[in-house]
Amino acid sequence: MNKLFLLNQRVFMTTPLSMRSIARWRRASVSSISSSALNLEGGVSMVQGASRGIGLEFVKQLLDKDEKGHVIATCRHPDAATGLLYLKNKFSERLSIQQLDLTLESTIEASANSIRETFGSLNLLINASGILSIPDVLHPETTLSKVEKSSLLLAYEVNAVGPILVIKHMWPLLKVGGGSGTERDVAVVANLSARVGSIGDNRLGGWHSYRSSKTALNQLTKTVSVEFARRKDPIICILLHPGTVDTDLSRPFQRNVPEGKLFTKEFSVQKLLGIIKNAKNHDNGKFFAWDGQEIPW
């Protein structure tokens, strides 16, 4: 009995024999992609949420520290990302800028397809985007009476749901890439979390939307890490707390930061990249502060 088979948006009428032929073709195609990925010296890194702040600094340091690696930077509005455009002029052969909106899964899928066509693999995924406050839209709550459904849902969508959907679509690329072209044995997914997302470390309360959305990110990332380990995929997932960094996100709340605890973007990202560079299989599913210390869940 003939069967319909969909492949790359084309429909084929097949017999059982041709189905086996197509399966062999698909295996050969994956093998070809894997072979080409091994030739990308320096690896391929993706920074999601790269238009400013910590994300932009990740892109800058990845490009500065490795003369051969490729970096893919994504953000919602690439044409307005002046910092990325400056880096693109400086590193035209090694930096790719793509449009990606965490709240639109279709843009995540499109980004994954573009990376697949251009590079065939990924070795590092950094989810750097996050929201804490938006004027007239979202404010950190100081009391339960100020909690609103819309704030909870928005924080959860951007801080937890979005990053996990990015991992979902980049998973096949990370699996192909592993640690090839880098000094690591595995590909790394690094999600930027926050110490306030720790349940065990919660002694002050407040910030219900932001705090709980980061807690959700922690649980989702841990769950993904368990699956990767069970499948024996060459990928590990880690969560990173960058400290309180002098960015637009933290600026309205810096007055209560103790002296010496407000970090520059350069300092924080340097520390976080050190953790990523030295990450091993046994670090899969762990939650690290900027100084390498583990944070309780």
Side-chain angles (χ1 to χ4, degrees):
M1 181 176 178
N2 290 345
K3 299 179 182 179
L4 281 175
F5 189 77
L6 179 64
L7 182 63
N8 291 340
Q9 308 304 316
R10 297 180 184 179
V11 179
F12 297 88
M13 187 71 73
T14 70
T15 65
L17 178 60
S18 60
M19 287 287 287
R20 289 195 295 271
S21 299
I22 289 171
R24 285 196 297 269
W25 178 88
R26 286 173 64 87
R27 288 194 296 269
S29 177
V30 170
S31 176
S32 175
I33 290 175
S34 300
S35 298
S36 65
L38 294 175
N39 295 325
L40 292 172
E41 190 174 355
V44 182
S45 303
M46 174 180 173
V47 182
Q48 180 275 123
S51 62
R52 58 181 181 168
I54 292 177
L56 179 60
E57 185 61 26
F58 267 117
V59 175
K60 182 178 183 298
Q61 291 197 28
L62 284 168
L63 291 167
D64 283 339
K65 291 178 180 299
D66 192 333
E67 296 180 355
K68 297 180 181 179
H70 296 269
V71 178
I72 301 150
T74 72
C75 60
R76 286 185 301 162
H77 305 294
D79 292 342
T82 55
L84 285 178
L85 295 175
Y86 170 80
L87 291 175
K88 179 63 176 176
N89 288 331
K90 186 178 179 181
F91 300 97
S92 59
E93 299 297 319
R94 296 176 50 219
L95 175 62
S96 300
I97 304 174
Q98 296 185 3
Q99 196 269 338
L100 189 155
D101 186 336
L102 281 183
T103 65
L104 296 173
E105 189 172 0
S106 60
T107 68
I108 302 173
E109 185 175 9
S111 177
N113 289 336
S114 176
I115 296 169
R116 182 178 298 107
E117 292 171 3
T118 304
F119 299 103
S121 66
L122 274 177
N123 308 102
L124 171 62
L125 168 59
I126 299 174
N127 279 308
S129 63
I131 56 170
L132 172 58
S133 65
I134 302 174
D136 302 320
V137 176
L138 176 65
H139 302 280
E141 307 90 346
T142 55
T143 175
L144 177 61
S145 63
K146 293 184 178 181
V147 172
E148 297 181 359
K149 179 180 178 180
S150 59
S151 297
L152 289 165
L153 292 177
L154 178 58
Y156 191 85
E157 181 178 31
V158 175
N159 294 342
V161 177
I164 297 305
L165 292 178
V166 173
I167 299 174
K168 167 188 158 183
H169 287 284
M170 303 302 161
W171 179 15
L173 298 168
L174 291 160
K175 187 174 180 179
V176 170
S180 61
T182 74
E183 298 177 3
R184 300 185 305 271
D185 296 326
V186 291
V188 175
V189 174
N191 286 339
L192 259 64
S193 186
R195 187 180 292 274
V196 296
S198 166
I199 295 174
D201 195 59
N202 184 359
R203 297 177 179 87
L204 298 176
W207 289 29
H208 303 66
S209 297
Y210 183 74
R211 190 186 289 275
S212 61
S213 68
K214 289 298 187 179
T215 304
L217 175 65
N218 292 353
Q219 178 66 286
L220 288 165
T221 304
K222 176 66 175 180
T223 300
V224 170
S225 75
V226 171
E227 180 172 359
F228 288 169
R230 184 171 63 244
R231 291 176 178 271
K232 294 182 169 53
D233 289 345
I235 313 167
I236 65 170
C237 296
I238 58 176
L239 292 143
L240 299 174
H241 165 56
T244 303
V245 184
D246 187 11
T247 63
D248 292 340
L249 183 143
S250 69
R251 198 153 290 130
F253 315 101
Q254 291 179 4
R255 65 179 182 178
N256 294 322
V257 178
E259 185 176 354
K261 293 298 183 180
L262 180 62
F263 302 144
T264 65
K265 299 184 293 290
E266 294 80 3
F267 174 83
S268 178
V269 169
Q270 180 185 21
K271 291 292 187 179
L272 298 181
L273 282 177
I275 295 172
I276 292 170
K277 180 180 179 180
N278 294 309
K280 308 294 183 185
N281 272 305
H282 59 76
D283 295 317
N284 188 33
K286 292 183 179 180
F287 184 11
F288 294 105
W290 59 272
D291 59 359
Q293 298 297 310
E294 279 194 64
I295 298 175
W297 297 114

